[in-house]
Amino acid sequence: MFWYQQPPRNGLKLIVSSASWSYNSYENGYSEAKFEVNREKSDYTLLAIKNLTLKDEATYFCAASDH
């Protein structure tokens, strides 16, 4: 499972990937302290953004892989 951020007038940035139920791999500049991923089922995940600021303005995308 992958979560991406696309700020206005910018390209997609990978925030976090999740290869298992219990482990999330965050990209540089992103952390669980700000972006919390809750994946309770294989077909359902939720991204919570904590302490929102104007810098968080973006469109957020989720993508899944069968691998």
Side-chain angles (χ1 to χ4, degrees), residues 12-44:
L12 289 173
K13 298 177 182 181
L14 179 62
I15 298 172
V16 59
S17 59
S18 176
S20 71
W21 295 102
S22 61
Y23 179 74
N24 297 318
S25 177
Y26 287 85
E27 296 297 304
N28 287 336
Y30 298 97
S31 71
E32 187 174 12
K34 179 74 174 177
F35 297 94
E36 182 181 10
V37 176
N38 184 346
R39 187 174 178 191
E40 296 178 6
K41 299 180 182 179
S42 62
D43 62 347
Y44 179 82

